[in-house]
């Protein structure tokens, strides 16, 4: 078990001036030198609160700043003072003896050279700062005694909101925030200001009056969370973080507490985006389409959509654009753009291997009739190589550009497209002879 107070803390505090502000703590340190932290519950309530509220830690951390090296006494060897062999702070054997003194009460201690490094020489301004900070700690202890563990209460209220799985809308949380802020401001005023006793009593009574009202508002928030936490449109912490610092969206989310048609397209939380696939599919099914999945790509999120045609075309539609155009459907409203297979297809990208192969097969079927051959497809080098059988020259097309231009071949094939494909191939300037192609192949294979 760990000690409630270490030996070094106890020895230093008993000689420090700050302890006179805490007579019960002083008595405890004098009479109970060796207590485990597990026995904290057995202490007097006032002393126990000093530990629970971490005010003891503040006292312990402030005490060393009262001390300085005693310049009137020089460092001496332990051999010269054989009867003094242990440090009066940590009680370990020492070789070099240092003398330190308390600048406030003039107490003196004999310590080892290791322990003396914890104490610095402080000027008057620094000493005044120590005394001021010490007074703040004393006031903290004072108000904490009057309002049991008030600082711990504030910490728990902060943690309560921090741990909420959802963003609480303004209408529900505003009164809680206002009351808590007032209580915190009063507490800060108490410990930072030199108030008279009447002013202190007013502050304590006002905080005591506020705390029950805060608990009432906290219970309302708990009810709100329990009621709405399973609603997919409630603003979770994940949804809130996903919109980043979007000034246009944050106020709406905080005001409403729910995702709406005004901001659904701004959400970048993949969990939410996946959860509404079924809501979109209820409308897409009428147009023979279906969202298969949502995935992340290059810091964006896409819906992969089965176009439902005979060629089994799969397209990829950027979520933010899709939700901008059709997000209102989820909320039973008219979409910004009328939904249709052609419009969805036109605004999508082609990434599916199955769909790419469908397009390439269609191109091959078209060109073979015009005495061209699909020689090779090299995705690594982003090229499609087509042989012109009439003149034995090789045409090198840009792969991604070709797929994008003729993606319509994934869902249909018509005479105009046939002509467009041939015209596109013939307009390509990147051509090579048989011998040039042989050399080119060797280079690209390295």
């Amino acid at each position: 078990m760990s000690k409630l107070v270490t030996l070094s803390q106890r020895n230093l505090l008993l000689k420090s001036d700050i302890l006179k502000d805490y007579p019960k703590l002083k008595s405890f340190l004098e009479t109970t030198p060796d207590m485990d932290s597990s026995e904290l519950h057995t202490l007097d309530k006032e002393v126990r609160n000093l530990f629970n509220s971490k005010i003891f830690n503040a006292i312990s951390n402030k005490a060393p700043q009262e001390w300085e090296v005693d310049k009137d006494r020089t460092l001496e060897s332990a051999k010269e003072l054989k009867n003094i062999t242990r440090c009066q702070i940590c009680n370990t054997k020492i070789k070099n003896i240092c003398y330190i003194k308390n600048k406030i009460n003039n107490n003196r201690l004999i310590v080892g050279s290791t322990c003396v490094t914890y104490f610095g020489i402080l000027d008057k301004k620094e000493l005044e700062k120590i005394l001021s900070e010490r007074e703040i700690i004393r006031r903290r202890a004072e108000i904490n005694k009057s309002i049991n563990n008030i600082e711990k209460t504030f910490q728990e209220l902060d943690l309560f909101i921090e741990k909420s799985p959802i963003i609480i809308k303004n209408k529900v949380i505003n009164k809680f925030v206002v009351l808590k802020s007032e209580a915190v401001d009063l507490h800060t005023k108490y410990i930072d200001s030199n108030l008279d006793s009447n002013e202190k009593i007013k502050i304590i009574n006002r905080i005591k009056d506020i705390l029950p009202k805060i608990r009432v508002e906290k219970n309302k928030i708990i009810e709100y969370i329990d009621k709405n936490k399973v609603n997919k449109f409630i603003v979770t912490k994940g949804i809130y973080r996903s919109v980043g610092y979007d000034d246009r969206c944050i106020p709406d989310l905080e005001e409403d507490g729910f995702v709406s048609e005004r901001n659904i397209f701004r959400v970048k939380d993949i969990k939410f985006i996946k959860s509404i696939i079924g809501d979109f599919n209820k409308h897409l099914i009428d147009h023979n389409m279906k969202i298969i999945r949502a995935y992340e790509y290059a810091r964006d999120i896409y819906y992969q959509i089965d176009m439902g045609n005979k060629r089994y075309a799969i397209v990829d539609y950027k979520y933010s654009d899709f939700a901008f155009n059709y997000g209102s459907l989820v909320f039973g409203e008219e979409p910004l753009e009328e939904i249709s297979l052609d419009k969805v297809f036109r605004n999508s990208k082609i990434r599916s291997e199955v769909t790419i192969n469908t397009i390439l097969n269609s191109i091959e079927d078209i060109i073979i009739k015009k005495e061209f051959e699909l020689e090779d497809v090299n995705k690594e080098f982003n090229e499609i190589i087509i042989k012109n059988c009439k003149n034995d020259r090789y045409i090198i097309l840009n792969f991604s550009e070709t797929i994008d231009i003729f993606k319509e071949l994934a869902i249909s094939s018509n005479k105009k497209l046939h002509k467009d494909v041939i015209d596109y191939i013939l307009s390509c300037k990147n051509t090579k002879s048989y011998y040039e192609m042989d050399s080119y192949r060797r280079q690209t294979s390295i």
Side-chain angles (χ1 to χ4, degrees), residues 315-341:
V315 298
D316 301 78
Y317 203 133
K318 189 175 177 181
Y319 167 78
S320 58
D321 295 336
F322 185 87
F324 182 82
N325 290 327
Y326 306 115
S328 298
L329 291 171
V330 173
F331 304 97
E333 303 291 337
E334 287 297 317
L336 183 69
E337 180 177 277
E338 183 181 354
I339 194 165
S340 70
L341 186 144

Side-chain angles (χ1 to χ4, degrees), residues 53-94:
S53 62
K54 297 185 179 181
I55 290 174
F56 172 80
N57 291 345
I59 295 169
S60 182
N61 291 335
K62 189 57 60 180
Q65 296 181 29
E66 296 180 12
W67 296 81
E68 67 179 356
V69 173
D70 188 350
K71 296 177 181 177
D72 296 332
R73 304 284 300 271
T74 59
L75 185 144
E76 299 177 78
S77 170
K79 293 180 180 178
E80 298 172 18
L81 300 170
K82 295 181 181 180
N83 60 324
I84 302 174
T85 58
R86 293 185 177 275
C87 173
Q88 290 182 328
I89 291 179
C90 65
N91 200 38
T92 58
K93 289 183 179 180
I94 51 178

Side-chain angles (χ1 to χ4, degrees), residues 121-366:
I121 298 175
L122 305 174
D123 59 24
K124 183 179 178 181
K125 187 175 181 180
E126 290 175 311
L127 179 58
E128 288 174 351
K129 182 181 178 183
I130 290 172
L131 293 173
S132 174
E133 291 173 349
R134 177 176 131 183
E135 180 63 17
I136 287 174
I137 294 172
R138 188 192 65 76
R139 290 174 190 148
R140 283 178 60 197
E142 186 177 82
I143 193 170
N144 198 69
K145 181 180 177 181
S146 299
I147 309 173
N148 189 32
N149 277 332
I150 183 61
E151 291 186 11
K152 185 179 179 182
T153 299
F154 289 151
Q155 291 168 4
E156 288 172 348
L157 291 173
D158 287 337
L159 198 60
F160 164 67
I161 296 301
E162 185 181 321
K163 286 192 171 183
S164 168
I166 64 176
I167 299 299
I168 316 301
K169 69 178 181 179
N170 290 342
K171 186 177 180 180
V172 176
I173 201 174
N174 275 351
K175 193 170 182 181
F176 172 90
V177 171
V178 169
L179 289 168
K180 179 179 168 294
S181 295
E182 183 184 355
V184 170
D185 290 345
L186 288 168
H187 175 266
T188 301
K189 182 179 179 180
Y190 189 103
I191 65 176
D192 286 349
S193 307
N194 187 20
L195 305 174
D196 61 36
S197 57
N198 287 334
E199 290 174 314
K200 288 180 178 180
I201 290 170
K202 286 181 180 179
I203 286 177
I204 289 170
N205 288 339
R206 177 55 186 158
I207 293 176
K208 285 181 176 179
D209 179 56
I210 291 172
L211 290 177
K213 297 176 182 178
I214 291 176
R215 285 192 286 271
V216 170
E217 296 306 314
K218 180 181 176 181
N219 289 334
K220 290 179 182 177
I221 292 172
I222 292 171
E223 290 177 10
Y224 176 82
I225 292 172
D226 289 341
K227 180 181 177 182
N228 293 291
K229 62 185 177 183
V230 296
N231 186 325
K232 74 172 80 174
F233 296 105
I234 196 77
V235 181
T236 64
K237 294 291 180 67
I239 290 173
Y240 191 80
R241 286 191 296 268
S242 79
V243 301
Y245 296 98
D246 192 332
D247 293 337
R248 296 160 294 182
C249 186
I250 291 292
D252 284 345
L253 297 180
E254 292 176 339
E255 183 66 28
D256 300 339
F258 291 87
V259 176
S260 69
E261 64 272 17
R262 298 197 307 273
N263 48 48
I264 188 171
F265 65 96
R266 299 189 189 278
V267 175
K268 299 181 182 71
D269 180 54
I270 188 71
K271 184 178 179 181
F272 170 78
I273 290 169
K274 287 179 178 178
S275 76
I276 57 174
I277 288 176
D279 298 278
F280 279 123
N281 279 343
K282 290 177 184 176
H283 301 276
L284 290 175
I285 199 72
D286 293 337
H287 302 273
N288 205 28
M289 293 181 286
K290 181 176 69 174
I291 298 171
I292 302 170
R293 68 184 182 105
Y295 68 93
E296 296 181 77
Y297 177 80
R299 302 181 71 178
D300 281 314
I301 300 173
Y302 287 82
Y303 274 153
Q304 196 165 71
I305 304 174
D306 178 356
M307 301 307 290
N309 67 318
K310 293 179 180 179
R311 295 185 171 212
Y312 190 58
I314 304 294
V315 298
D316 301 78
Y317 203 133
K318 189 175 177 181
Y319 167 78
S320 58
D321 295 336
F322 185 87
F324 182 82
N325 290 327
Y326 306 115
S328 298
L329 291 171
V330 173
F331 304 97
E333 303 291 337
E334 287 297 317
L336 183 69
E337 180 177 277
E338 183 181 354
I339 194 165
S340 70
L341 186 144
D342 287 341
K343 287 181 179 178
V344 170
F345 185 80
R346 193 184 313 122
N347 293 316
S348 299
K349 295 182 180 296
I350 303 292
R351 291 205 184 97
S352 164
E353 288 295 324
V354 173
T355 307
I356 288 172
N357 288 335
T358 298
I359 296 170
L360 290 173
N361 290 337
S362 295
I363 291 174
E364 188 171 25
D365 289 342
I366 292 168

